[in-house]
């Protein structure tokens, strides 16, 4: 029988969280796909694993896999849930912690009202580091998809994002265009595709077709990338409330070289144990 897990969600972006600190766990892409399957397994958008820190400045390391089994660099909703998991399970005595992921260090603080504030670090905009096939950095890039050309922003928050501005997220072609954008050849590692509706200089709506998952109810790194794209294109001031289908994130970015701050919820749903074969 496998060790326990905790099901958590951040604005409906849902996770199976595993404790690799107390337990020795071997996570494989096949195992992730089984766990993430919403019929044959627990079901989730991403699997998150807590591990002992490797970097001296970090309190813990945490790893992220998308439902398709691919390991990725960062997850905004996930890092909030991981911090809450570590605190609730007595693995962290403090509501403030530094978590290490493949993208680097992320500083997290659980606030008095149970919201979680995260220093997501500065955005990466150099095409080669996103990675994105463009010769030089631009605020918007032409991207051809099935003989149509879209103007998109390209931003990495440790993981790759494109941001496409639309008039109305409710009518945006997320289901049809999302998969084509996710696998566009100009993004060698694939990409998360954000559909952004600007409501004002401090308000936005966003839907995200996530790499390795499909459309999720919320995407934390996607909200950060969308605000960065909007600030760089003159659409936003530095503080923006982003309404996603699953709820609201508050994002703050004061400009180049500065970190992106994200504040939002992290909610435990249930504890469980997976039967042999379901994990
Ligand atoms: N699908 C993303 C990882 C999860 C990001 C998202 N769930 C978030 O809250 O940031 C990727 O492949 O880069």
């Amino acid at each position: 029988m496998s060790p326990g897990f905790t099901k958590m969600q951040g604005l409906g972006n849902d996770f199976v969280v595993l404790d690799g600190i107390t337990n020795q766990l071997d996570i494989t892409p096949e195992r992730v796909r089984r766990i993430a399957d919403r019929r044959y397994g627990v079901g989730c958008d991403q699997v998150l694993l807590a591990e002992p820190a490797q970097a001296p400045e970090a309190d813990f390391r945490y790893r992220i896999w998308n439902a398709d089994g691919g390991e990725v660099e960062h997850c905004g909703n996930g890092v909030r849930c991981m911090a809450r998991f570590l605190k609730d399970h007595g693995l962290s005595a403090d509501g403030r912690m530094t978590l290490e992921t493949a993208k680097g260090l992320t500083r997290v603080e659980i606030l008095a009202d149970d919201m979680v504030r995260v220093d997501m670090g500065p955005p990466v905009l150099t095409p080669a580091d996103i990675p994105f096939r463009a010769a030089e950095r631009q605020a918007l890039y032409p991207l051809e998809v099935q003989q149509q050309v879209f103007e998109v922003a390209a931003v990495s928050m440790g993981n790759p994002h494109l941001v496409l501005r639309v008039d109305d997220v409710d009518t945006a072609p997320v289901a049809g265009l999302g998969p084509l954008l996710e696998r566009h050849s100009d993004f060698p590692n694939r990409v998360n595709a954000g559909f952004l509706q600007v409501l004002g200089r401090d308000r936005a709506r966003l839907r995200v077709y996530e790499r390795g998952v499909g459309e999720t109810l919320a995407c934390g790194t996607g909200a950060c990338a969308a605000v960065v794209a909007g600030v760089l294109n003159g659409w936003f001031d530095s503080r923006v409330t982003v309404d996603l289908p699953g709820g609201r994130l508050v994002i703050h970015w004061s400009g180049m070289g500065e970190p992106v701050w994200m504040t939002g919820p992290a909610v435990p749903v249930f504890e469980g144990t997976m039967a042999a074969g379901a994990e």
Side-chain angles (χ1 to χ4, degrees):
M1 191 69 94
S2 76
F5 67 88
T6 301
K7 186 76 189 318
M8 300 189 75
Q9 59 87 8
L11 302 179
N13 181 198
D14 64 336
F15 310 102
V16 168
V17 188
L18 300 168
D19 171 2
I21 295 167
T22 319
N23 313 285
Q24 185 62 39
L25 296 177
D26 172 31
I27 306 295
T28 64
E30 295 72 32
R31 191 171 181 193
V32 167
R33 286 191 285 271
R34 266 199 307 279
I35 292 169
D37 189 293
R38 296 191 185 280
R39 293 288 183 280
Y40 295 99
V42 177
C44 61
D45 291 331
Q46 279 90 23
V47 172
L48 310 180
L49 174 69
E51 289 187 325
Q54 291 179 356
E57 317 92 307
D59 298 304
F60 302 95
R61 181 169 181 237
Y62 105 97
R63 298 172 68 188
I64 309 126
W65 288 264
N66 284 321
D68 71 352
E71 186 167 2
V72 293
E73 311 87 346
H74 205 358
C75 178
N77 292 317
V79 75
R80 300 198 313 273
C81 286
M82 178 53 76
R84 178 76 192 269
F85 171 86
L86 291 163
K87 181 92 171 36
D88 289 355
H89 287 75
L91 294 163
S92 170
D94 194 342
R96 289 167 182 257
M97 59 194 87
T98 299
L99 298 180
E100 171 194 2
T101 66
K103 80 103 188 168
L105 298 177
T106 302
R107 291 170 183 78
V108 191
E109 179 182 4
I110 301 175
L111 305 176
D113 61 358
D114 267 354
M115 298 297 268
V116 185
R117 181 167 56 196
V118 187
D119 170 352
M120 294 289 286
V124 171
L125 300 166
T126 306
D129 298 332
I130 291 174
F132 174 54
R133 280 203 191 96
E136 58 191 13
R137 186 165 80 79
Q138 296 171 219
L140 290 172
Y141 302 90
L143 196 73
E144 184 171 343
V145 181
Q146 292 186 333
Q147 287 83 43
Q148 270 190 285
V149 177
F150 298 91
E151 292 290 306
V152 302
V155 180
S156 170
M157 292 305 300
N159 58 344
H161 289 268
L162 71 78
V163 181
L164 172 63
R165 183 170 178 178
V166 296
D167 294 334
D168 182 347
V169 290
D170 292 331
T171 59
V174 178
L177 188 56
L180 301 176
L181 293 171
E182 181 205 8
R183 295 179 175 279
H184 195 285
S185 59
D186 283 356
F187 290 91
N189 295 350
R190 294 187 291 160
V191 70
N192 300 283
F195 296 79
L196 171 66
Q197 179 182 354
V198 178
L199 298 174
R201 296 195 60 80
D202 62 351
R203 289 174 55 230
R205 296 179 70 204
L206 179 71
R207 291 172 66 185
V208 183
Y209 190 95
E210 283 198 33
R211 177 178 63 169
V213 184
E215 183 175 7
T216 57
L217 290 178
C219 180
T221 51
C224 295
V227 170
V228 167
V231 169
L232 292 174
N233 280 283
W235 306 331
F236 293 141
D237 293 329
S238 61
R239 184 185 181 281
V240 184
T241 55
V242 180
D243 288 326
L244 301 110
R248 176 170 288 185
L249 290 172
V250 177
I251 308 293
H252 186 278
W253 185 53
S254 48
M256 294 301 286
E258 295 297 320
V260 183
W261 291 90
M262 172 186 65
T263 302
V267 181
V269 181
F270 61 88
E271 305 282 342
T273 302
M274 283 174 267
E279 44 80 32

